[in-house]
Amino acid sequence: MSKWNGLLHEYKEFLPVNDKTPMLTLKEGNTPLIPLENLSKEWGVELYVKVEGANPTGSFKDRGMVMAVAKAKEEGSDTIICASTGNTSAAAAAYGARLGMRCIVVIPEGKIALGKLAQAVMYGAEVIEIKGNFDHALEIVRAISETEPITLVNSVNPYRIEGQKTAAFEVCDALGQAPDVLAIPVGNAGNITAYWKGFNEYHEKKGTGLPEMRGFEAEGAAAIVRDEVIEEPETVATAIRIGNPASWSQAVTAANDSNGAIDYVTDEEILEAYQLLAKREGVFAEPASCASLAGVKKQLASGELKKGSKIVCVLTGNGLKDPSTAMDTVAVKPTVLPNEKDAFLSHIKGGVKL
Ligand code: F0G
């Protein structure tokens, strides 16, 4: 088995890496592309998931963050800052810790999944909650980074997009070519921008083809679909609770240029896909991630997606990040029994006494 050395090393030729760039890594990337055998059969498609929750901090953010933090250090910065719905802050805090940098994260009060907050504090970030949403937090950190010697590591930092585009390379390598369709959740719209860039660069170099890009916002935060800023975005998928995506126009370009689309899915559709994925396929992804699978289900039903298509759904974050939503979603709770074998046997045999 060949050794995986992390994104900066493995994809050096596609990334802004030079002699002075610290070769930072937590061995991010190289995540599994898993075929969904049961749902593929049921839905009449060839369906795969790109499990980004297998990254070191449990989300796709590690791909962009390793690049952005390495470049910040290379350029002489010693402090990084970001706004976050949780995953960006976890990744920034981890890579910042690795290089001994100060990391400041600004999060919307009370809307961060527990696991993500635990990560940021464990990695030693300075966590600031604001009485506002992600969009407000992003406005603040953008303004601060313009006047202070602090590097902004949100996806408006172009190095983030560079790192994140590597996921498209991996999808092409795993399948031998680009899929017919790439389905992806959309929040601030950095990731769809990055995948589209990645597919294009790989196609230019290796002739791997281009997929239709299908992005999915949550209904209560569907600014791009509605073509208007949502002042008070709301969704169970807190990671994509964003009403004014920073990479809005790039997302529209990716969808248009690829003959794809930006669509939305309801919270009910997200939670249904969240459970289907776990119960039918043994894959646990956080709710926002499941917007991609929910979108595929919706568009297969409407006929927008064709039977027989080869589809990759990006699962952006690990299900363990948000244990509260899992426990709130599933009605069945663990059964409490006395510490005794007979009671246990009787229970699993459906109450039949031996
Ligand atoms: N899925 C998850 C799990 C996310 O954490 C995010 C974004 C997205 C999807 C959307 O990606 O913003 O590139 O369109 N999370 C950011 C954060 C906003 O702060 O962690 P996007």
Side-chain angles (χ1 to χ4, degrees):
M1 204 181 91
S2 66
K3 204 164 137 249
W4 180 261
N5 290 307
L7 295 179
L8 302 196
H9 182 85
E10 302 290 341
Y11 293 115
K12 212 180 302 171
E13 60 174 312
F14 291 94
L15 295 173
V17 172
N18 60 51
D19 293 350
K20 299 203 180 64
T21 313
M23 291 307 277
L24 175 63
T25 188
L26 289 167
K27 309 283 180 180
E28 59 293 316
N30 197 23
T31 56
L33 185 75
I34 302 180
L36 297 188
E37 290 169 359
N38 298 320
L39 294 179
S40 288
K41 222 175 272 171
E42 196 171 308
W43 296 354
V45 288
E46 197 183 323
L47 191 57
Y48 298 84
V49 282
K50 179 72 172 154
V51 184
E52 289 294 278
N55 276 301
T57 79
S59 87
F60 73 97
K61 303 288 181 177
D62 292 343
R63 293 181 185 273
M65 207 53 79
V66 69
M67 189 76 253
V69 174
K71 292 306 271 189
K73 188 76 171 181
E74 178 189 326
E75 288 161 9
S77 177
D78 56 19
T79 305
I80 54 176
I81 195 167
C82 64
S84 184
T85 57
N87 283 324
T88 298
S89 63
Y95 286 94
R98 193 85 172 166
L99 286 186
M101 299 173 85
R102 183 175 176 198
C103 175
I104 304 166
V105 307
V106 186
I107 58 176
E109 189 188 28
K111 294 287 181 179
I112 299 292
L114 188 62
K116 303 175 187 179
L117 192 52
Q119 289 180 290
V121 296
M122 274 304 290
Y123 295 131
E126 296 165 44
V127 180
I128 300 164
E129 277 192 353
I130 58 154
K131 288 192 190 307
N133 58 34
F134 171 86
D135 304 292
H136 303 131
L138 185 59
E139 255 173 59
I140 293 174
V141 297
R142 281 181 104 151
I144 288 172
S145 69
E146 271 163 28
T147 58
E148 305 303 313
I150 296 178
T151 307
L152 181 65
V153 293
N154 280 104
S155 58
V156 291
N157 177 329
Y159 296 128
R160 279 278 312 277
I161 304 298
E162 290 300 306
Q164 281 172 216
K165 76 186 179 190
T166 59
F169 302 166
E170 292 178 15
V171 168
C172 292
D173 284 341
L175 296 174
Q177 62 183 84
D180 300 322
V181 176
L182 192 282
I184 185 167
V186 173
N188 212 25
N191 211 25
I192 189 171
T193 303
Y195 269 83
W196 185 232
K197 186 166 198 284
F199 281 121
N200 276 284
E201 287 184 13
Y202 228 49
H203 179 54
E204 254 165 53
K205 191 113 182 178
K206 301 183 182 236
T208 39
L210 296 171
E212 280 175 26
M213 301 293 291
R214 296 192 170 265
F216 296 96
E217 298 183 293
E219 184 184 29
I224 301 174
V225 177
R226 300 197 195 289
D227 201 21
E228 64 185 25
V229 171
I230 314 271
E231 298 295 340
E232 301 285 339
E234 217 36 90
T235 167
V236 67
T238 52
I240 53 172
R241 185 174 165 268
I242 295 172
N244 189 10
S247 300
W248 186 318
S249 65
Q250 294 92 322
V252 171
T253 300
N256 290 346
D257 290 1
S258 70
N259 293 318
I262 310 289
D263 197 354
Y264 69 78
V265 283
T266 65
D267 278 4
E268 291 69 28
E269 288 167 329
I270 289 172
L271 292 177
E272 187 201 356
Y274 178 58
Q275 293 182 76
L276 266 181
L277 184 67
K279 290 185 179 167
R280 300 291 305 286
E281 300 285 357
V283 178
F284 187 22
E286 69 169 284
S289 298
C290 300
S292 57
L293 187 66
V296 166
K297 184 164 189 275
K298 174 182 171 180
Q299 295 193 345
L300 279 168
S302 71
E304 267 171 276
L305 273 175
K306 286 193 278 306
K307 297 264 182 201
S309 307
K310 189 183 287 188
I311 304 169
V312 171
C313 290
V314 181
L315 298 180
T316 43
N318 195 307
L320 292 170
K321 295 253 188 188
D322 186 0
S324 317
T325 303
M327 295 308 283
D328 290 347
T329 302
V330 179
V332 181
K333 299 292 180 245
T335 304
V336 180
L337 289 176
N339 182 14
E340 185 196 294
K341 193 179 114 205
D342 283 351
F344 181 81
L345 262 180
S346 153
H347 173 75
I348 60 174
K349 292 191 168 195
V352 182
K353 263 262 180 248
L354 284 178

